Structure formats: structure tokens, C-alpha cells
Amino acid sequence: MKNPWEEIGLDDYENHMKLDSVKQLQTLNSMMKAQFDEYPVTTAMVLGVAGGNGLEHVDGGKYSTVYGVDINEKYLDAVAARFAGMTDSGVLKLLKADLISEPEKLPQAELLIANLLIEYIGYDAFAKVVSAVNPRFVSCVIQINEDVCNWVSDSPYIHSFDKLEEVHHQMEENELVVTMNAVGYSEKAKMKERLPNGKALVRIDFENEAFN
């Protein structure tokens, strides 16, 4: 059975995310700039790269390699077209992978970025991905919903996301911290950005205790 994310058009996804009533595309973009700038690393991996939102903040003088991972091949094709300069130079490397069943396909990277991704694979699968990539730093953005019944904001595109109910997991900050502690990562920082409709994006960063 196909993952629902393989059937959602990129235009529908991005147009929904950037609506004034949702504002997730814009908020995530600024949060990703901070994620890329934060740590003294030269390699990074973005899980669920979608259309490449935020990749324009990759500093070519800092990063030798940035991996963009997604399950949707059409999304990766769009990223390759939008960031042709980065792919041609070899800085941006794109990889199609099902993170639930294929974590072993992932190369290692010093920084792992997972924004609005853990919701769709679950804590246990994410822990296996982290162990496979073995980063020093992990920076996650999760969506916190006061209205758990309506975790997708209303919009003209909402029915494009109907099948996501099959794979969505409600996120809890404490549960994520416990999961990461279990694989050797301690919480390093946390910040929150409020969104419309009673939602918020929470960024939680972790560091691999083995590097300390």
C-alpha cells in the first residue's frame, strides 16, 4: 500500500501551508534558517524535504553536503529543479526513502533536521532513523494542537490530506524527549512559534551524549 504522502500534490501541499490562516511554510522557513546556522557542522540531513522550503538558507561556505530525503519522488524532482545549482555542485544530494521500512538506506550526517516529520512515522521509527544517521545534533519541529480533532487547518486544499489520518500520530513534547533520551540524546534547547488556529510549532534540539 502506498504511503499517503506519495499521493499528495506538491502544489496542494505548499499552497495549503502558506495560507495566511495556516502560515506554516513561512514560519518553518525562518526556523530552518536558524537550524542550519546554529551548529558547527559541515554535513546535514533534512527528512521530509518536500519541495525544498528552507534550503535557500544553506551556506555553501559552511556545508559540504546536505541530504534531502523524502518518500515522494515527484517532490525530489521539484527540489532538484529548484536548487539545480546546489545539486550540480554536489552539495545537495537527494534520496528517496521510506523512513519506516528503510532507515538503513540513510547515510550519516552531523546534523539531522526533522520538521513536521515525526508526526507521520511515529516515535519508534524516528528513533531508528536517528540511530542509523548517528548525528551529533538533532533539531526537530513538531506541531502542537490545542484542538486534537482538527490537526490539519481548514483550507480549500484540506481534502488533499484526508488519507494522512492513516499515518498521523499526535505529538507530545515529553514523549519525544523520552524517546530521544533512550537512544542517547539529551535535550539542548526548546523554542515555540505560535500559529493561527490555536496551533504552534515547537522546535526541540538534542545532542548526542557520546560527543560530550
Side-chain angles (χ1 to χ4, degrees), residues 31 35 112-116 118 126 130 138-142 176 180 191 202-206:
M31 294 177 87
Q35 288 172 311
L112 183 64
I113 296 174
N115 296 340
L116 302 186
I118 307 168
F126 184 61
V130 170
V138 179
S139 186
C140 313
V141 174
I142 59 174
L176 177 57
M180 293 297 288
M191 57 216 72
V202 176
R203 174 183 158 193
I204 310 177
D205 287 9
F206 301 89

Side-chain angles (χ1 to χ4, degrees), residues 28-38 54 57 203:
L28 272 178
N29 188 282
S30 62
M31 294 177 87
M32 285 187 74
K33 183 181 189 311
Q35 288 172 311
F36 281 124
D37 291 347
E38 187 82 21
H57 301 305
R203 174 183 158 193

Side-chain angles (χ1 to χ4, degrees), residues 152-182:
V152 176
S153 297
D154 191 22
S155 87
Y157 309 96
I158 191 167
H159 290 298
S160 297
F161 307 99
D162 286 347
K163 288 188 177 181
L164 289 183
E165 186 71 46
E166 301 168 11
V167 293
H168 181 262
H169 304 73
Q170 186 65 31
M171 286 287 98
E172 299 291 343
E173 296 172 49
N174 291 342
E175 188 67 28
L176 177 57
V177 171
V178 168
T179 298
M180 293 297 288
N181 289 167

